[in-house]
């Protein structure tokens, strides 16, 4: 399915004015780790789509927004609540970071026994770990 893209034209409506938290994936086409994040974010969207909206922002095409939100390295994930950044995750993180992100958003997994679904050490597998 894939997360919808946001641009300068629709950022205000889709992210800042959203009635639920929005995870913005700052990425670029040439970024390998960024491309690895996409299927993982799809998993999170499928599991928590009722509580969290996930969108993508191409930093090559929307550099002004990337600069405005302090993105210096990609992948960068910003979680917005009430129009403000409340959580930021930059680059590849250890497996516990995904659980932390889910906990900070106060989301409970629907399938608590699901563990790591992707096991490549250099991958963004930290996003797939579900809270015990």
């Amino acid at each position: 399915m894939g997360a919808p893209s946001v641009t300068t034209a629709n950022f205000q409506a889709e992210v800042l004015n959203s009635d639920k938290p929005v995870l913005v994936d700052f990425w670029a086409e040439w970024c390998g780790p960024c491309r690895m994040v996409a299927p993982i974010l799809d998993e999170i969207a499928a599991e928590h789509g009722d509580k969290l909206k996930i969108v993508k922002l191409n930093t090559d095409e929307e550099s002004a927004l990337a600069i405005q939100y302090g993105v210096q390295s990609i992948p960068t994930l910003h979680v917005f609540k009430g129009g403000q950044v409340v959580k930021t995750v930059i680059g590849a993180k250890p497996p516990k970071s995904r659980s932390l992100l889910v906990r900070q958003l106060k989301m409970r997994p629907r399938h608590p026994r699901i563990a790591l679904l992707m096991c490549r050490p250099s991958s963004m597998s930290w996003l797939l770990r579900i809270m015990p």
Side-chain angles (χ1 to χ4, degrees):
M1 171 158 96
S5 294
V6 291
T7 64
T8 303
N10 66 354
F11 192 83
Q12 178 83 28
E14 294 295 321
V15 177
L16 301 179
N17 294 340
S18 178
D19 57 347
K20 61 183 172 181
V22 181
L23 188 153
V24 180
D25 174 17
F26 289 85
W27 74 291
E29 193 71 39
W30 50 264
C31 172
C34 297
R35 288 191 311 267
M36 285 189 274
V37 170
I40 299 165
L41 292 179
D42 288 344
E43 288 280 331
I44 294 172
E47 187 174 320
H48 299 292
D50 56 333
K51 298 177 187 142
L52 175 71
K53 179 188 213 178
I54 297 177
V55 298
K56 297 173 75 71
L57 187 137
N58 187 321
T59 58
D60 287 339
E61 296 171 359
E62 301 294 336
S63 59
L65 278 173
I67 291 168
Q68 180 179 344
Y69 287 99
V71 175
Q72 297 179 356
S73 178
I74 53 175
T76 291
L77 306 175
H78 281 331
V79 178
F80 289 80
K81 271 177 123 173
Q84 301 294 317
V85 177
V86 295
K87 174 70 179 166
T88 299
V89 179
I90 301 169
K93 296 289 181 187
K96 291 181 183 176
S97 295
R98 197 270 186 192
S99 295
L100 221 90
L101 178 63
V102 171
R103 264 187 269 151
Q104 286 186 346
L105 292 171
K106 296 181 178 144
M107 295 183 291
R108 296 285 182 240
R110 292 187 181 133
H111 306 288
R113 294 184 185 226
I114 294 175
L116 206 55
L117 299 177
M118 188 162 62
C119 299
R120 284 177 270 158
S122 64
S123 73
M124 298 298 291
S125 60
W126 59 272
L127 281 173
L128 286 176
R129 193 168 299 277
I130 303 294
M131 294 185 321

